[in-house]
Amino acid sequence: MAYTRETNITKLEEFCSKADFVFHLAGVNRPREEKEYMIGNRGFTAALLETLKKQNNRCPVMFSSSIHAAGDHPYGQSKKAGEDLIFAYGKETGAKTFVYRFPNVFGKWCKPNYNSAVATFCHNIARELPVQVNDPETLMKLVYIDDVVEELIGAMEGQENRKNPFCEVPTVHQEKLGEIVELLYSFKMTRQDKSIPNMTDPFIKQLYSTYLSYVPEDNFSYDLPMNVDHRGSFTEIIRTSDRGQISVNVSRPGITKGNHWHHTKNEKFLVVSGKGVIRFRKIGENAVIEYPVSDEKMEVVDIPPGYTHNIENLGERDMVTLMWVNEPFDPDKPDTYYLEV
């Protein structure tokens, strides 16, 4: 059951009577008046705990606090007051309690222009709106929403990460604000340069997923430049410096493409529509090797260095081939030599 800001307060007793575990995630962080901090953050916590006691329910209670609880700001003071109530409640009733002082939480579905700089930056950059960074050297501590959810599920199952008296999300990222913004702008540019961010970095992987969740719904797709001639087309999809390039090749019926070889460059071909044949001939030899390919069998064909090769469409419709090459094409060092198979 979810008790939200839209739920009538009269329902609190019913919820408290039925709860097996309470996730207290409610909070006030942008009130109209300063006094609302304490009313919302301490006051509701007190009402919740008193109702649980009234219903004689000693189920575990998790409380979402903030790193600001260690400071003197009215918001931090109100969260600290809520913490004190939770700890006192645990001692009084014997109920198990969990207090998390969360740092900045980022991820999908967070409201922009509210209390998350990352959400606001993602929203604005994805819409070509300006962002304001007062101090790019500001060091931010961040936790990813999926890591938060995983930790809270673990707490419900008795596997919380506890450092008394508080609990914590084990994975915390520390990143400079200016570098976060630079990353977000680089994510926006991936559509132009067809690149992929460094997915081996956990923070970059999570931040990229976060950024994509803020792309406007009418802007999910983007065009790719197509190289078109009488033979068909060739279109790059992804271009990376360390994981190669992915392209789609369309061959018209009866068309043969290729007839070249490489010293170091290597490729993988996968025909996803149509049928054809991939031919090889080792440089300096006469024997021709043939590999039939079609969409009836998903089969990757490696294109090793030192073999001139081509691919011919043997069908009556366009043949579509997904191609990967270990390095993006460099016109200054193409490593591609014409030679008929």
Side-chain angles (χ1 to χ4, degrees):
M1 299 184 297
Y3 184 96
T4 71
R5 67 183 68 188
E6 284 78 29
T7 308
N8 192 299
I9 190 67
T10 60
K11 292 284 188 179
L12 187 58
E13 288 194 6
E14 177 186 349
F15 277 61
C16 286
S17 68
K18 297 179 179 179
D20 296 313
F21 192 107
V22 174
F23 292 100
H24 179 4
L25 306 174
V28 174
N29 50 31
R30 287 203 174 187
R32 292 186 181 90
E33 298 182 36
E34 187 176 292
K35 64 182 181 180
E36 293 178 36
Y37 282 124
M38 198 62 74
I39 294 172
N41 293 329
R42 185 190 183 282
F44 177 76
T45 301
L48 169 68
L49 299 178
E50 286 301 318
T51 306
L52 285 170
K53 287 193 287 186
K54 180 179 178 181
Q55 297 299 320
N56 197 30
N57 188 343
R58 302 297 182 260
C59 69
V61 179
M62 170 269 165
F63 178 66
S64 173
S65 188
S66 166
I67 54 174
H68 297 293
D72 290 330
H73 184 274
Y75 168 69
Q77 293 172 350
S78 67
K79 297 302 282 187
K80 176 64 167 56
E83 292 178 355
D84 293 342
L85 288 175
I86 295 290
F87 287 133
Y89 173 80
K91 290 181 179 178
E92 177 187 348
T93 65
K96 191 172 182 179
T97 58
F98 310 78
V99 175
Y100 287 85
R101 283 187 170 179
F102 291 125
N104 297 277
V105 181
F106 72 104
K108 59 186 179 297
W109 304 331
C110 186
K111 185 188 300 184
N113 301 305
Y114 184 57
N115 66 340
S116 168
V118 171
T120 301
F121 292 155
C122 288
H123 177 272
N124 287 13
I125 291 172
R127 288 162 177 76
E128 298 186 358
L129 299 174
V131 299
Q132 181 177 343
V133 179
N134 295 325
D135 182 4
E137 294 299 310
T138 298
L139 192 63
M140 295 186 68
K141 291 185 177 182
L142 304 111
V143 287
Y144 187 52
I145 185 60
D146 286 27
D147 293 333
V148 173
V149 172
E150 182 178 355
E151 168 62 25
L152 296 188
I153 291 174
M156 183 172 60
E157 297 173 345
Q159 299 174 358
E160 73 277 7
N161 286 279
R162 186 180 292 273
K163 290 190 176 180
N164 285 328
F166 301 102
C167 299
E168 63 181 15
V169 178
T171 302
V172 179
H173 306 284
Q174 297 192 57
E175 306 289 337
K176 291 183 178 179
L177 185 59
E179 293 176 358
I180 293 173
V181 172
E182 288 180 5
L183 279 171
L184 294 175
Y185 276 115
S186 74
F187 297 161
K188 183 175 179 61
M189 287 302 299
T190 57
R191 290 186 168 190
Q192 281 71 51
D193 58 28
K194 297 183 285 291
S195 65
I196 294 292
N198 178 15
M199 296 299 175
T200 62
D201 184 309
F203 176 71
I204 292 177
K205 179 181 178 180
Q206 294 170 346
L207 187 65
Y208 182 58
S209 294
T210 301
Y211 169 77
L212 288 180
S213 74
Y214 288 88
V215 172
E217 292 180 356
D218 60 356
N219 196 29
F220 284 175
S221 67
Y222 56 100
D223 295 331
L224 292 172
M226 297 177 63
N227 300 297
V228 183
D229 59 23
H230 70 282
R231 302 173 302 163
S233 65
F234 182 83
T235 307
E236 293 182 14
I237 303 175
I238 293 173
R239 168 184 284 256
T240 69
S241 60
D242 62 339
R243 291 295 184 270
Q245 174 182 310
I246 298 175
S247 308
V248 172
N249 180 69
V250 178
S251 299
R252 305 297 187 203
I255 291 297
T256 299
K257 291 187 177 182
N259 285 316
H260 58 238
W261 64 282
H262 316 288
H263 276 298
T264 303
K265 185 177 293 184
N266 55 89
E267 301 166 284
K268 294 180 183 291
F269 290 0
L270 172 63
V271 171
V272 295
S273 180
K275 66 176 180 178
V277 61
I278 301 174
R279 299 185 180 94
F280 299 88
R281 180 169 62 82
K282 191 174 184 179
I283 302 304
E285 298 184 1
N286 296 321
V288 175
I289 305 164
E290 294 190 350
Y291 276 83
V293 287
S294 78
D295 55 14
E296 295 180 357
K297 180 182 180 183
M298 292 289 106
E299 181 178 14
V300 175
V301 179
D302 273 318
I303 313 296
Y307 285 81
T308 186
H309 53 276
N310 64 32
I311 180 168
E312 181 181 359
N313 184 352
L314 300 180
E316 298 179 354
R317 56 188 171 94
D318 287 355
M319 179 175 66
V320 181
T321 306
L322 185 68
M323 296 180 169
W324 171 87
V325 60
N326 68 319
E327 60 184 30
F329 180 74
D330 181 357
D332 296 326
K333 191 178 179 181
D335 188 16
T336 301
Y337 305 91
Y338 176 80
L339 184 64
E340 293 279 349
V341 175

